[in-house]
């Protein structure tokens, strides 16, 4: 279950999205709770939702429950980093750096292809 990174984090790490995790700070960008920010309290993989602090509703009996938000509808604004997550970011950034020059034709590479026939 991955979420996209905010534009600041995207520029910093050169990575578009990472798997979401408890204690990440996120901002909701779609739906009823658009614009609300908070820390991820729970990643509910079975229901494919995340629970964010301060995004709750009251049940009929008066109990408050967390509202599930789909991870694609949030952007991560602050990451909880540990060594495994740093390694993941480095690995993904390295792959994206390798793809930067891929598929780009210049005049130098296009000229020899005309002589092939």
């Amino acid at each position: 279950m991955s979420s996209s990174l905010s534009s600041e984090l995207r520029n910093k790490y050169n990575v578009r999205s990472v798997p979401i995790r408890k204690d990440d700070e996120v901002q909701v960008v779609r739906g009823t709770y658009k614009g609300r920010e908070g820390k991820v309290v729970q990643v509910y993989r079975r229901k494919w939702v995340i629970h964010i602090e301060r995004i709750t509703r009251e049940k009929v009996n008066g109990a408050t429950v967390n509202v599930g938000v789909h991870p694609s509808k949030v952007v991560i604004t602050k990451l909880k980093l540990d060594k495994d997550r740093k390694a993941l970011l480095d690995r993904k950034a390295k792959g994206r750096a390798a793809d930067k020059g891929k598929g780009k034709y210049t005049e130098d590479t296009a000229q020899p292809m005309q002589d092939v026939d």
Side-chain angles (χ1 to χ4, degrees), residues 54-113:
R54 296 191 300 273
I55 298 185
T56 57
R57 66 186 300 255
E58 200 168 299
K59 288 173 62 171
V60 178
N61 65 4
T64 58
V65 290
N66 289 317
V67 176
V69 179
H70 196 272
S72 68
K73 305 303 177 197
V74 301
V75 292
I76 300 172
T77 55
K78 189 175 177 190
L79 289 166
K80 181 186 181 195
L81 287 175
D82 60 3
K83 64 179 179 63
D84 293 328
R85 210 133 189 237
K86 280 183 182 146
L88 175 108
L89 287 169
D90 293 340
R91 192 170 65 240
K92 285 184 90 170
K94 192 171 107 179
R96 284 179 65 96
D99 289 342
K100 279 281 189 221
K102 229 181 218 184
K104 301 287 184 199
Y105 283 108
T106 60
E107 291 296 320
D108 306 334
T109 57
Q111 195 61 36
M113 292 303 292

